[in-house]
Amino acid sequence: MNDIMSFGIHRLWKKYYVDLLFDKFNKKEKILDIASGSGDIFHLFPYKNNLYAIDPIEKMHEISKEKNFEKKINYQTGYVENLPYKNNFFQVISCTYGVRNFADRLKGFSEIYRCLKKNGFFLFMEFGMPNASLIQKPYQAFLDYFLPFSGSVIAKDRHSYKYLAESIKAFPTPLLIKNELENIGFYHIETIDFISGANNIYILQKK
Ligand SMILES: C[S@@+](CC[C@H](N)C(=O)[O-])C[C@H]1O[C@@H](n2cnc3c(N)ncnc32)[C@H](O)[C@@H]1O
């Protein structure tokens, strides 16, 4: 479904994202993947030393373990709003396509801040609404019609893809997200947008 939804582009975005992540990561330090799901993103990591992964759904970890069986990963079942880690523990915290699902985004961001070391990095990638007026209408139609339809035909799950579309439309603009993160104390380094904001990578640092 991801391939169909993004016409395969999500693979390039994920590769680009992982390169950015490892540019900021020192092998000896600890890295946390939040909302790790079935381990799609860390499947692409060049090495997995000191990798921690958290997701509230145990079944997701089971699928991930099958994919990443040769890697030593510290799996944890839990929510971002109540991270079971010590203060200043990780050098890098990552989250791909999970922030949209946080029940309490501000609490989640605060927990991430607490668990990051000073000068540590928080990177996340998330869908959003494009800001170029030329593609706003077609994108809206893509979300409203194409996504639920293809979800029902291919994944036999219209409801989940309708939720996906609604959560993308409801997600705040990059400017609002940046403000939220800065209010928590993060230093905003950069937001990299693809397809005029349909997909964004946010890069933050704990100063
Ligand atoms: C779309 S998946 C993303 C999976 C993976 N990161 C990827 O890029 O393929 C979203 C994940 O967010 C998790 N999630 C939902 N609410 C969460 C929360 N409050 N805290 C942490 N993870 C959450 C879900 O269980 C799900 O596995």
Side-chain angles (χ1 to χ4, degrees):
M1 267 308 288
N2 285 343
D3 280 320
I4 290 161
M5 259 175 62
S6 71
F7 307 105
I9 306 172
H10 78 105
R11 289 172 187 275
L12 297 176
W13 289 337
K14 283 185 170 168
K15 167 84 181 67
Y16 184 86
Y17 177 85
V18 169
D19 287 348
L20 279 176
L21 205 62
F22 276 79
D23 191 43
K24 314 235 173 291
F25 182 57
N26 162 354
K27 251 185 186 177
K28 294 193 195 98
E29 298 277 357
K30 296 184 184 66
I31 181 167
L32 170 66
D33 186 28
I34 291 183
S36 58
S38 61
D40 250 29
I41 202 76
F42 54 74
H43 203 52
L44 304 173
F45 285 7
Y47 41 85
K48 281 93 191 166
N49 310 26
N50 298 319
L51 171 60
Y52 292 68
I54 187 164
D55 196 281
I57 304 187
E58 182 58 34
K59 176 83 188 150
M60 288 296 201
H61 287 329
E62 284 166 26
I63 301 168
S64 167
K65 282 174 191 168
E66 285 166 21
K67 278 197 275 189
N68 298 283
F69 64 93
E70 83 286 15
K71 296 147 204 161
K72 287 199 187 84
I73 297 165
N74 303 285
Y75 287 101
Q76 182 80 44
T77 304
Y79 291 89
V80 68
E81 292 86 358
N82 188 17
L83 290 175
Y85 309 108
K86 287 188 280 190
N87 295 353
N88 314 312
F89 194 63
F90 296 101
Q91 192 211 353
V92 173
I93 297 184
S94 164
C95 184
T96 49
Y97 306 121
V99 172
R100 221 174 355 94
N101 299 308
F102 291 178
D104 184 340
R105 196 174 51 247
L106 293 185
K107 180 84 175 78
F109 285 160
S110 302
E111 277 291 272
I112 290 167
Y113 189 85
R114 176 183 70 73
C115 295
L116 260 187
K117 282 185 167 181
K118 191 167 183 281
N119 296 323
F121 294 96
F122 171 39
L123 272 78
F124 71 97
M125 181 154 68
E126 193 51 87
F127 296 122
M129 290 304 285
N131 50 48
S133 51
L134 202 65
I135 58 171
Q136 267 169 2
K137 278 223 165 91
Y139 194 70
Q140 181 96 19
F142 168 83
L143 292 178
D144 288 342
Y145 304 109
F146 179 79
L147 206 52
F149 173 74
S150 51
S152 64
V153 173
I154 297 156
K156 308 271 179 273
D157 185 1
R158 184 183 172 82
H159 176 77
S160 295
Y161 287 87
K162 186 123 183 74
Y163 163 76
L164 173 61
E166 293 308 322
S167 65
I168 293 173
K169 288 194 280 181
F171 196 67
T173 61
L175 184 62
L176 277 170
I177 289 288
K178 173 177 172 283
N179 289 343
E180 285 182 4
L181 289 155
E182 284 177 342
N183 287 340
I184 283 162
F186 280 105
Y187 171 70
H188 173 258
I189 298 178
E190 196 181 2
T191 301
I192 302 169
D193 66 288
F194 301 96
I195 319 182
S196 171
N199 188 55
N200 297 300
I201 295 176
Y202 299 81
I203 307 174
L204 292 310
Q205 190 171 22
K206 176 171 174 176
K207 285 287 185 189

